Amino acid sequence: MAAEGLLAAGATVIVSGRREGDVAAMAQALSAHGPCHGIPADLAAPEGAALLIRRLRERTDRLDILVNNAGTSWGAALDEFPRHGFDKVLALNVAAPFDLVRGLLPLLRAAASAASPARIINIASVDGLRPPSAETYSYSASKAALLMLTRHLAARLVAEHITVNAIAPGLFATRMTAYMFDPAHPRSGDRPSIPMSRPGRTEDIAGAVVYLSALAGSYLTGVVIPVSGGIATIA
Ligand SMILES: NC(=O)c1ccc[n+]([C@@H]2O[C@H](COP(=O)([O-])OP(=O)(O)OC[C@H]3O[C@@H](n4cnc5c(N)ncnc54)[C@H](OP(=O)(O)O)[C@@H]3O)[C@@H](O)[C@H]2O)c1
């Protein structure tokens, strides 16, 4: 959704994900909207982030916008919640964005200026703003951590003309949330109630990402924009 918006706004986009075939297919499909390339990498471990950073640096010497979107969740009853469910979620949702920011700073610095800062956009969640009803303890904790990391990095990087902001999506129909839209699924009740009575659409995320990436969004740093139809803002 974010890539589609950025391509429509005229950016050249590089997408990533774990599997080479899926990434190539995604880049190919998105190429209908503009120049799009794919670099596969598994960000679960630091070696994967290092590989993505290396391949990006081979391809370009500047990066205008970094969108940290990869994320995962874990649901289990409190009494049974495994330690592994914390390690896995924190590694991808918090440590990987940090690894990518650190490793890509030279490219971001090369694109940054007072007139047009480089942008880091972290995809957090409303679950980092208020406790969700679902038993996804490591996920909510990871997204709250990502929001603080956003502010901390924003403070550190403001003098270098790099903005760091976050988007907190509400409910969007994706692979991660497919079970909430399946009434037969035992955990479909995890689905939050939405004040605007509809899930988010592509243009809702795309619009927020493009705003934060555009000249119009260049005077914001350290903020979180909930794109949630009212979840965590009025309910
Ligand atoms: N959907 C919602 O309602 C919602 C709400 C709030 C926040 N979010 C956030 O939005 C972001 C995107 O999630 P989504 O809803 O689009 O879920 P999704 O369909 O499950 O997508 C997750 C994304 O993360 C990538 N990913 C997962 N594990 C990875 C790994 N180890 N290494 C590299 N990439 C990995 C996936 O790529 P591959 O599978 O191809 O590797 C995919 O691009 C996440 O940060 C999520 O927390 C979503």
Side-chain angles (χ1 to χ4, degrees), residues 25 38 40 55 58 60-61 73-74 80 88 92 94 96 100 105 109 125 132 165 168 192 198 201 203 212-213 215 233:
R55 294 212 173 137
E58 284 162 10
T60 180
D61 54 11
S73 186
W74 194 293
E80 286 136 36
K88 181 182 173 212
L92 185 65
V94 187
L100 290 177
L105 272 176
R109 285 180 177 129
S125 170
N165 294 296
R198 69 161 177 87
R201 302 180 186 126
E203 56 268 32
L212 288 174
S213 306
L215 193 58
T233 57

Side-chain angles (χ1 to χ4, degrees), residues 18-19 42-43 69-70 92 124 139 143 170 172 174-176:
R18 282 163 291 184
R19 287 167 294 272
D42 187 338
L43 301 175
N69 172 70
L92 185 65
Y139 183 77
K143 294 301 187 177
F172 287 73
T174 64
R175 259 180 317 169
M176 184 181 279

Side-chain angles (χ1 to χ4, degrees), residues 47-66:
E47 300 74 37
L51 179 74
L52 179 56
I53 292 160
R54 202 163 59 243
R55 294 212 173 137
L56 265 169
R57 292 176 78 159
E58 284 162 10
R59 190 181 277 266
T60 180
D61 54 11
R62 55 177 283 160
L63 186 64
D64 297 284
I65 307 154
L66 168 64

Side-chain angles (χ1 to χ4, degrees), residues 1 16-19 22-23 41-45 68-73 92-93 123-127 139 143 146 167-177 180-181:
M1 294 175 191
S16 190
R18 282 163 291 184
R19 287 167 294 272
D22 290 353
V23 172
D42 187 338
L43 301 175
N68 282 311
N69 172 70
T72 193
S73 186
L92 185 65
N93 295 8
I123 306 299
S125 170
V126 288
D127 289 359
Y139 183 77
K143 294 301 187 177
L146 184 60
I167 291 172
L171 179 64
F172 287 73
T174 64
R175 259 180 317 169
M176 184 181 279
T177 56
M180 296 185 197
F181 294 87

